[in-house]
Protein backbone atom coordinates (compact mmCIF):
# COMPACT_ATOMS: atom_id res chain seq x y z
CA UNK A 1 0.00 0.00 0.00
CA UNK A 2 1.29 3.44 -0.92
CA UNK A 3 1.99 6.06 1.73
CA UNK A 4 1.34 8.92 -0.68
CA UNK A 5 -1.89 10.87 -0.54
CA UNK A 6 -3.82 12.33 -3.41
CA UNK A 7 -4.34 16.08 -3.66
CA UNK A 8 -7.94 15.60 -2.55
CA UNK A 9 -6.85 13.72 0.57
CA UNK A 10 -4.28 16.38 1.41
CA UNK A 11 -6.85 19.15 1.00
CA UNK A 12 -9.37 17.24 3.13
CA UNK A 13 -6.73 16.82 5.86
CA UNK A 14 -5.85 20.52 5.72
CA UNK A 15 -9.52 21.51 5.98
CA UNK A 16 -9.98 19.21 8.97
CA UNK A 17 -6.88 20.60 10.68
CA UNK A 18 -7.95 24.18 9.95
CA UNK A 19 -11.40 23.56 11.43
CA UNK A 20 -9.83 22.02 14.52
CA UNK A 21 -7.49 24.98 14.99
CA UNK A 22 -10.32 27.49 14.68
CA UNK A 23 -12.62 25.59 17.04
CA UNK A 24 -9.85 25.12 19.62
CA UNK A 25 -8.99 28.82 19.52
CA UNK A 26 -12.65 29.72 20.10
CA UNK A 27 -12.86 27.23 22.98
CA UNK A 28 -9.73 28.72 24.57
CA UNK A 29 -11.13 32.23 24.27
CA UNK A 30 -14.40 31.17 25.90
CA UNK A 31 -12.57 29.33 28.69
CA UNK A 32 -10.44 32.42 29.37
CA UNK A 33 -13.58 34.56 29.65
CA UNK A 34 -15.22 32.02 31.98
CA UNK A 35 -12.12 32.05 34.19
CA UNK A 36 -12.06 35.85 34.20
CA UNK A 37 -15.76 36.05 35.08
CA UNK A 38 -15.38 33.55 37.93
CA UNK A 39 -12.45 35.49 39.39
CA UNK A 40 -13.90 38.95 38.75
CA UNK A 41 -17.63 38.89 39.52
CA UNK A 42 -17.83 42.70 39.37
CA UNK A 43 -16.14 42.90 35.97
CA UNK A 44 -17.84 40.20 33.93
CA UNK A 45 -17.08 40.01 30.23
CA UNK A 46 -19.67 38.81 27.73
CA UNK A 47 -19.07 35.63 25.83
CA UNK A 48 -18.33 36.20 22.16
CA UNK A 49 -20.86 35.23 19.56
CA UNK A 50 -18.54 33.49 17.14
CA UNK A 51 -19.62 32.08 13.83
CA UNK A 52 -17.21 29.87 11.94
CA UNK A 53 -17.72 30.05 8.21
CA UNK A 54 -16.46 27.87 5.41
CA UNK A 55 -14.46 30.88 4.21
CA UNK A 56 -12.69 31.04 7.60
CA UNK A 57 -11.80 27.37 7.42
CA UNK A 58 -10.61 27.61 3.82
CA UNK A 59 -8.46 30.68 4.60
CA UNK A 60 -6.80 28.87 7.50
CA UNK A 61 -6.29 25.75 5.37
CA UNK A 62 -4.63 27.91 2.71
CA UNK A 63 -2.26 29.29 5.37
CA UNK A 64 -1.37 25.74 6.38
CA UNK A 65 -0.89 24.72 2.76
CA UNK A 66 1.37 27.71 2.11
CA UNK A 67 3.61 26.52 4.93
CA UNK A 68 3.59 22.93 3.65
CA UNK A 69 4.62 23.83 0.10
CA UNK A 70 7.23 26.36 1.24
CA UNK A 71 10.77 25.42 0.29
Amino acid sequence: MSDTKSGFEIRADLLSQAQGIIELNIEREINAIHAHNENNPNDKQPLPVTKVTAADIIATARELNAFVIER
Side-chain angles (χ1 to χ4, degrees):
M1 191 160 123
S2 175
D3 288 336
T4 60
K5 290 185 177 186
S6 73
F8 292 112
E9 291 171 313
I10 292 168
R11 284 189 288 278
D13 287 347
L14 288 174
L15 288 169
S16 179
Q17 289 175 355
Q19 181 178 356
I21 289 168
I22 291 170
E23 289 175 347
L24 186 58
N25 286 342
I26 292 168
E27 185 177 330
R28 286 179 179 161
E29 181 181 2
I30 290 171
N31 288 341
I33 293 170
H34 279 300
H36 171 84
N37 290 347
E38 287 175 10
N39 294 322
N40 302 288
N42 295 328
D43 181 34
K44 290 195 175 204
Q45 297 176 349
L47 291 176
V49 178
T50 306
K51 182 173 120 180
V52 178
T53 66
D56 296 331
I57 295 170
I58 291 168
T60 302
R62 284 189 173 136
E63 285 182 50
L64 294 173
N65 187 55
F67 173 76
V68 169
I69 62 174
E70 192 177 274
R71 292 181 189 231

